Amino acid sequence: MLESPGRIEHREPAIARQHATPKPIDAHEPWMRGLHADTGYLLYRLGLRSGQLFNACLQESGLRLRHYAVLRFLATSEGALQRELSTRLGYDPSAIVGLVDDLEKQDFAERRPSPDDRRSRIVALTEKGRAFLRDTDEAGQRVTNELLGPLDPAERDALHALLLRIAEDGLN
């Protein structure tokens, strides 16, 4: 709303004036070429897309990719302290508490007393959690296949090996 002496003018917000269907992005526009030349940006965008696709697969269960990551980590261990989950997965400790709460409500994980410290709890995967992971393996593979569709098997293997090298060096 714009005010001028003696009158009030109503204007539609700029967002409402835009067309409902945005034009497709032209990958050859200079600003897109600049972004696509930035490997970090491409990794970021692919990570977002991967997360969106995977979250869509998990939507029915009420879980998200972050929950799945906790379950996958727990599947490789006999259990972990919440602070270890936070450190290993790179999640804020307060986020881990909420994620584990959600997983406990679904009976996918449980908190057990730590044998080394009565004040600490170990988070462990339940049989129902293991079954959920088995059931989501196919959905995860579909997401990967959709993302990596343009690559042949050798290129997929090379990409995976390169990403592992970067992850092992940069995420530890």
Side-chain angles (χ1 to χ4, degrees), residues 22-36:
K23 293 188 319 187
I25 296 173
D26 180 357
H28 299 290
E29 288 186 39
W31 66 272
M32 282 303 293
R33 284 194 311 269
L35 283 175
H36 287 178

Side-chain angles (χ1 to χ4, degrees), residues 32-150:
M32 282 303 293
R33 284 194 311 269
L35 283 175
H36 287 178
D38 184 336
T39 303
Y41 175 77
L42 288 175
L43 287 170
Y44 167 76
R45 286 297 306 223
L46 288 170
L48 284 178
R49 182 68 182 137
S50 175
Q52 290 167 343
L53 290 171
F54 205 85
N55 283 333
C57 289
L58 293 173
Q59 187 173 14
E60 200 173 288
S61 69
L63 299 181
R64 304 204 33 92
L65 185 54
R66 293 170 64 103
H67 296 98
Y68 178 82
V70 172
L71 291 173
R72 269 287 161 221
F73 181 84
L74 293 174
T76 65
S77 68
E78 292 297 315
L81 296 170
Q82 287 183 176
R83 67 179 162 267
E84 180 184 5
L85 289 171
S86 172
T87 301
R88 296 287 183 102
L89 296 173
Y91 296 164
D92 186 81
S94 63
I96 291 292
V97 172
L99 293 170
V100 173
D101 288 345
D102 294 343
L103 294 171
E104 272 192 317
K105 286 177 191 164
Q106 297 222 19
D107 194 30
F108 290 163
E110 63 185 4
R111 288 178 174 102
R112 300 175 183 159
S114 169
D116 302 327
D117 181 355
R118 293 182 318 156
R119 296 167 295 166
S120 296
R121 307 296 259 170
I122 292 177
V123 181
L125 190 64
T126 64
E127 280 309 311
K128 190 173 176 184
R130 284 186 200 290
F132 175 79
L133 285 174
R134 282 190 301 273
D135 292 345
T136 57
D137 283 344
E138 188 178 316
Q141 193 58 51
R142 280 194 312 268
V143 167
T144 299
N145 287 338
E146 184 172 335
L147 282 171
L148 303 181

